[in-house]
Amino acid sequence: MRFLFTTLLLLGSFVCFAQSSGNISGKVSLVDGQPSGSVSVSLVELHKNTLTNDHGNYSFIGILPGNYTVRIHMLGAAQKDLSVTVIAGKTVKADYQLSKENVQALQEVTIGGTANRFSKKESVYAARLPLKNLENPQVYISIPKELIQEQLAVDLGSISKNVPGSGIPMLANQGRVTFRSRGFETEPMVRNGVAGFAYTAIDPANLERIEAIKGPSATLFGNNLSSYGGLFNRVTKKPYNGFGGEVSLFGGSWDYKRMAFDINTPLNAYKTVLFRLNGATTYENNFQDMGFTESFSIAPSFSYQITDKLSMLFDVEYGQAKGTSVVRFNPFIPKTGGKIQNIKDMQFPYDKLFGNDDLAYRTQMVNIFAQFNYKMSENWTSQTVISRASTAIRGYISALNGVSDTQLAALVMRGYTSFIATDIQQNFIGDFKIGSHRNRLVAGLDFYNNTNTFDRLHITGPTVSFVNPGANSGISKKVIDDLASAKSTKIRNESNADNSYAAYVSDVFNVNDRLLAMVSLRLDRYQADGVTDVPTGTNKGAFGQTSLSPKLGLVYQLIKDKVSVFGSYMNSFKNQTGADVNGNVFKPEEANQLETGVKGDIFDHKLVGTISYYDIKVKNMIRTDLANSTYKIQDGNQKSRGVEVELTANPFPGFNIIAGYAYNDSKNIDAEANVEGLRPALSGPDKMINFWLSYRFQQGQLKGFGAGFGGNSGSSSFQTNTTTAKVIIPGYTMFDATVFYDHRRFRIGIKADNITSEKAWSVRLTPQSPARYLANLTVRF
């Protein structure tokens, strides 16, 4: 009886309070009416804060009657105060629409209706400024999660098919993936704009999008994270204001099994504390006679709107994997040269690993990221970023070295390797006017530390025939372990470290509303601590270097907010430790690029694209010493110039087109006679095409059904290219296709990759999978 009385009393009190209080609700939208999510909204008098959801809506419940101020804070926009009067028992509305575009908010908007759903070009990472794509004199391409899902792309290599000029991805011995960009090797070393490397496979479960930023980019990103061809930035999923998620199951060829999940929830009533958890586990056998990979990843993400001006984002990316090394074949080349070979004619078996499942590696990756944003004033924002990335590799990784035209011997590295990088940045970002001229400026400090440890044996396996491989041609763990004490075994037990200290500034100056000028400069101090031989404690190779890296650009909008032409000069550099076989210490490399082109975003976002021409000149290039394959030499320069075209189109509702073309002319110049004027090895095909066409029914009984078809083609390239020896990689054309049904609550898809089973090889002569089939079921909640 007492319990019933207490319950009725509390219920009566609640009803009375509800009748004597009111509510405030509203919507925040961008200048074009699109909703703006994750905007900080505060009730000033009560010190209450909340965030808008994906639809731009917010609310304050149970507010006592009276006059209040609703304050809206958004990075890159002026503070807005709205006066409201709360009346008991009623809900008062307080909506707000931005008066001008906000790039930081625009990049998170999901464009609805018939607009181009695969074109999400706006980025705050490419220039580290609130700069629209049409205002940026640098070329970049964005691959959003919507396209990743439609293509059932379950690895970074599959995602990169949509980037013009990326080529067949090169898989390293422990699962790490590398791409081509403008003729240069480029790795996905950047995560949310700062260091986030992983010397192992990176699961895409946590990806919001991939940004391929083109050209030398050391001015803003430093030389540790970018190549002369550019960089790949992995933008991760962020928590949002709402509860939801999905669970995805995959199955396919070669016993492929995968489960991925994405769960998001607010952690407090006013939804200022948000949590998101992404993860995946995958297993797949190799299409060859041996080999497998299995992996697990989990990525928690936490955001906290501490005050109306201060926010924090913290996330962790953890992954572990076990697997066997992919084929990496180095054909036999006599010291006298005189050979021209094509991998398809070498009788090297396409479907044989020359390994064993017990000859496996284990990797562990941990990336930690924290970001604090503080709105100092209407015009200035402080951004503090801390990133810690580490990868550990244990076990066996291998390469196959030809010892004759018909025989090979495996080189197996057994032991432990670790890579650790720490990146700390402090940026001050301003958007202000000098007279009538708008300025967008970032000034920053950057500290980067890199520490590597090697404790492993280099073991040469037995010689076997690859033309007529016998039953014992697969190298096992026991065979390698028994050879570990042989005299030919090499020991690598060393550590090295380096530090980079940098300051940079970049300003975009509006001459008028159509003409913009960019001026940027980086001062970088590099200090290599040298290489320490652990058993003896001997250290050698320490040195320091100071570099300046400028960046200049001009943009003119021929049609305001629709078509722009641009020109830019960009610089990069690479500090090279080590020496050649004769002990000569390497000089720093340096790259300078001139680029011009046109960008367009027309027909209400239905056609978006870029056409550009670039010319890169590199001096003091380092390449492999053909006479001593474990060493490098520094003997020449390189030119790399070409044309790139990329577009996304939505000609009519439901139909989407993605297409790209890349032509690259790379040559060694002022080099040794045996490479003078030749295309550098490992630079990939000189001509590449990619496309993807998809259609989704928009209405009627077939609404949600769709299909997609695409392909990638590349010309022939070289694994080795000198006047005396060539190893040719043939051109390729591979096609993919998918059918799917996409419902609000679930999705079913089937995908076929390389449906014609085209034989193709990466620049490391790794055979690519024949036709692979995947099926997927995703349940949303």
Side-chain angles (χ1 to χ4, degrees):
M1 189 68 180
R2 180 178 299 174
F3 172 77
L4 180 60
F5 176 77
T6 303
T7 301
L8 292 174
L9 182 63
L10 290 173
L11 182 60
S13 299
F14 174 78
V15 171
C16 292
F17 176 76
Q19 292 176 342
S20 63
S21 63
N23 307 319
I24 303 172
S25 68
K27 181 176 182 178
V28 179
S29 54
L30 301 179
V31 66
D32 61 356
Q34 293 286 341
S36 183
S38 299
V39 175
S40 173
V41 183
S42 60
L43 200 54
V44 176
E45 289 77 6
L46 300 182
H47 304 288
K48 293 181 180 294
N49 297 291
T50 189
L51 295 171
T52 59
N53 62 19
D54 284 348
H55 302 290
N57 298 319
Y58 72 92
S59 63
F60 294 101
I61 307 299
I63 306 300
L64 293 176
N67 296 321
Y68 296 93
T69 302
V70 173
R71 178 165 294 167
I72 297 172
H73 269 290
M74 184 184 300
L75 293 178
Q79 170 186 301
K80 181 64 177 180
D81 287 348
L82 305 175
S83 298
V84 297
T85 300
V86 175
I87 301 173
K90 294 187 178 182
T91 298
V92 61
K93 297 283 290 183
D95 297 335
Y96 176 63
Q97 183 174 9
L98 270 70
S99 59
K100 63 180 182 178
E101 281 190 330
N102 183 286
V103 173
Q104 290 172 299
L106 189 60
Q107 69 165 341
E108 304 301 335
V109 171
T110 300
I111 299 175
T114 61
N116 192 341
R117 61 193 298 266
F118 295 147
S119 179
K120 297 190 174 181
K121 296 289 290 186
E122 311 310 337
S123 170
V124 296
Y125 301 106
R128 290 193 176 156
L129 285 169
L131 200 63
K132 293 173 59 180
N133 174 53
L134 291 177
E135 299 174 313
N136 195 333
Q138 187 168 11
V139 174
Y140 63 92
I141 295 127
S142 181
I143 310 301
K145 66 178 185 296
E146 290 81 4
L147 180 59
I148 295 171
Q149 183 182 65
E150 181 172 284
Q151 295 180 344
L152 293 187
V154 292
D155 54 71
L156 292 187
S158 298
I159 297 171
S160 72
K161 292 178 180 180
N162 301 288
V163 178
S166 66
I168 293 176
M170 185 193 80
L171 281 178
N173 310 71
Q174 68 278 16
R176 186 176 91 250
V177 66
T178 302
F179 313 108
R180 308 297 105 183
S181 184
R182 300 188 170 180
F184 299 96
E185 181 176 301
T186 306
E187 299 187 52
M189 300 282 282
V190 183
R191 179 175 180 268
N192 296 329
V194 294
F197 71 71
Y199 287 101
T200 181
I202 300 172
D203 197 286
N206 191 36
L207 285 182
E208 183 71 25
R209 63 184 177 274
I210 285 281
E211 295 176 348
I213 302 173
K214 298 285 190 166
S217 303
T219 308
L220 291 179
F221 294 94
N223 65 329
N224 296 289
L225 306 177
S226 62
S227 78
Y228 302 144
L231 61 98
F232 283 78
N233 180 35
R234 308 186 327 266
V235 180
T236 60
K237 296 176 181 177
K238 309 296 191 300
Y240 58 90
N241 180 0
F243 176 78
E246 62 182 35
V247 177
S248 297
L249 301 175
F250 299 80
S253 305
W254 308 300
D255 199 25
Y256 185 90
K257 298 183 287 285
R258 175 177 171 85
M259 182 186 75
F261 58 88
D262 181 356
I263 302 170
N264 187 91
T265 183
L267 296 181
N268 66 343
Y270 284 103
K271 302 180 180 180
T272 56
V273 184
L274 309 175
F275 178 75
R276 191 168 187 174
L277 183 66
N278 285 271
T281 179
T282 305
Y283 178 87
E284 181 180 21
N285 286 321
N286 199 333
F287 75 89
Q288 295 167 316
D289 63 335
M290 291 286 178
F292 73 96
T293 56
E294 60 182 30
S295 63
F296 169 76
S297 68
I298 190 166
S301 183
F302 172 86
S303 71
Y304 180 26
Q305 189 72 36
I306 302 170
T307 69
D308 56 356
K309 294 184 178 182
L310 177 64
S311 65
M312 179 193 74
L313 175 67
F314 176 80
D315 61 63
V316 177
E317 192 175 46
Y318 173 83
Q320 60 182 30
K322 180 181 179 181
T324 51
S325 293
V326 298
V327 167
R328 176 187 177 184
F329 181 47
N330 300 307
F332 172 70
I333 298 176
K335 290 187 177 180
T336 55
K339 297 197 69 172
I340 298 177
Q341 308 174 80
N342 192 310
I343 181 60
K344 71 176 182 180
D345 301 324
M346 288 184 188
Q347 302 183 63
F348 186 88
Y350 198 81
D351 59 355
K352 193 167 184 62
L353 184 69
F354 291 98
N356 204 293
D357 284 353
D358 64 0
L359 203 66
Y361 61 80
R362 292 178 180 271
T363 64
Q364 185 179 71
M365 172 196 71
V366 181
N367 288 339
I368 301 173
F369 178 89
Q371 178 175 312
F372 296 87
N373 291 316
Y374 180 70
K375 188 168 183 178
M376 303 166 60
S377 69
E378 182 175 316
N379 302 111
W380 287 93
T381 299
S382 168
Q383 180 190 76
T384 305
V385 183
I386 303 171
S387 175
R388 174 85 164 179
S390 64
T391 300
I393 305 166
R394 295 175 174 85
Y396 303 79
I397 54 178
S398 59
L400 304 176
N401 295 328
V403 296
S404 74
D405 290 340
T406 61
Q407 295 177 310
L408 62 80
L411 175 62
V412 180
M413 288 162 279
R414 187 189 75 177
Y416 170 79
T417 309
S418 73
F419 305 92
I420 300 174
T422 303
D423 195 356
I424 302 174
Q425 289 183 6
Q426 174 60 53
N427 295 312
F428 295 99
I429 303 166
D431 190 344
F432 55 92
K433 285 189 175 182
I434 298 178
S436 61
H437 301 284
R438 184 184 182 189
N439 284 262
R440 279 161 286 183
L441 182 144
V442 58
L445 299 172
D446 188 3
F447 167 75
Y448 182 87
N449 169 265
N450 180 61
T451 303
N452 306 317
T453 302
F454 303 88
D455 184 6
R456 61 194 192 191
L457 302 177
H458 292 205
I459 306 163
T460 301
T463 298
V464 298
S465 170
F466 63 79
V467 174
N468 296 299
N472 297 321
S473 59
I475 299 98
S476 68
K477 177 178 180 294
K478 183 179 185 307
V479 169
I480 295 302
D481 288 346
D482 288 345
L483 290 171
S485 59
K487 291 183 179 180
S488 59
T489 298
K490 295 182 180 180
I491 300 174
R492 186 180 184 186
N493 189 1
E494 64 186 33
S495 63
N496 62 69
D498 56 74
N499 296 290
S500 293
Y501 311 86
Y504 51 85
V505 62
S506 179
D507 181 56
V508 175
F509 178 81
N510 280 68
V511 180
N512 54 47
D513 64 343
R514 294 195 180 193
L515 179 61
L516 298 86
M518 173 184 281
V519 179
S520 311
L521 182 65
R522 182 186 189 93
L523 173 64
D524 190 283
R525 173 62 183 176
Y526 176 78
Q527 188 65 51
D529 294 340
V531 178
T532 300
D533 182 75
V534 174
T536 65
T538 304
N539 179 279
K540 59 182 179 180
F543 75 99
Q545 178 192 340
T546 301
S547 301
L548 286 173
S549 180
K551 177 181 178 182
L552 306 172
L554 284 174
V555 176
Y556 181 72
Q557 297 191 40
L558 296 174
I559 305 175
K560 178 67 174 171
D561 297 327
K562 295 185 183 299
V563 179
S564 65
V565 293
F566 66 91
S568 65
Y569 161 78
M570 293 192 291
N571 170 273
S572 190
F573 57 94
K574 185 183 296 184
N575 306 101
Q576 290 290 347
T577 60
D580 60 21
V581 68
N582 298 314
N584 298 313
V585 177
F586 293 140
K587 302 174 183 178
E589 294 180 357
E590 184 177 342
N592 296 283
Q593 175 187 275
L594 294 175
E595 184 169 17
T596 185
V598 58
K599 296 183 179 184
D601 187 341
I602 56 178
F603 306 128
D604 192 24
H605 304 295
K606 289 182 173 62
L607 179 60
V608 181
T610 304
I611 302 174
S612 65
Y613 170 81
Y614 61 86
D615 189 331
I616 304 173
K617 295 181 180 179
V618 186
K619 61 182 181 180
N620 297 326
M621 288 289 297
I622 292 177
R623 64 179 182 85
T624 300
D625 187 341
L626 295 178
N628 300 275
S629 60
T630 58
Y631 286 89
K632 303 253 183 205
I633 57 176
Q634 185 177 38
D635 67 349
N637 306 323
Q638 181 179 338
K639 282 186 177 181
S640 178
R641 54 189 175 187
V643 175
E644 289 181 339
V645 180
E646 64 93 12
L647 66 87
T648 60
N650 177 226
F652 53 86
F655 184 49
N656 289 277
I657 301 171
I658 293 174
Y661 172 75
Y663 169 72
N664 174 256
D665 177 23
S666 289
K667 290 182 180 179
N668 291 303
I669 56 175
D670 301 326
E672 290 183 355
N674 67 336
V675 296
E676 175 67 28
L678 298 181
R679 183 174 181 83
L682 310 183
S683 58
D686 63 345
K687 292 180 284 291
M688 285 180 267
I689 297 172
N690 65 279
F691 73 92
W692 181 257
L693 313 174
S694 68
Y695 180 74
R696 179 189 308 228
F697 288 94
Q698 302 295 295
Q699 56 189 358
Q701 294 184 342
L702 294 178
K703 182 179 179 180
F705 281 97
F709 178 77
N712 293 78
S713 181
S715 58
S716 61
S717 58
F718 298 96
Q719 189 263 356
T720 300
N721 188 25
T722 70
T723 56
T724 58
K726 298 181 188 294
V727 177
I728 300 170
I729 305 170
Y732 60 90
T733 299
M734 296 187 285
F735 298 106
D736 307 329
T738 184
V739 292
F740 57 86
Y741 176 67
D742 202 341
H743 185 270
R744 185 172 62 90
R745 289 300 183 188
F746 66 92
R747 187 184 193 279
I748 300 173
I750 300 173
K751 173 79 178 298
D753 292 313
N754 192 13
I755 56 180
T756 62
S757 292
E758 173 89 343
K759 287 188 175 182
W761 293 260
S762 73
V763 293
R764 280 190 171 182
L765 303 184
T766 304
Q768 303 301 292
S769 299
R772 180 178 78 163
Y773 301 93
L774 283 178
N776 161 249
L777 169 64
T778 298
V779 178
R780 301 171 177 134
F781 53 88

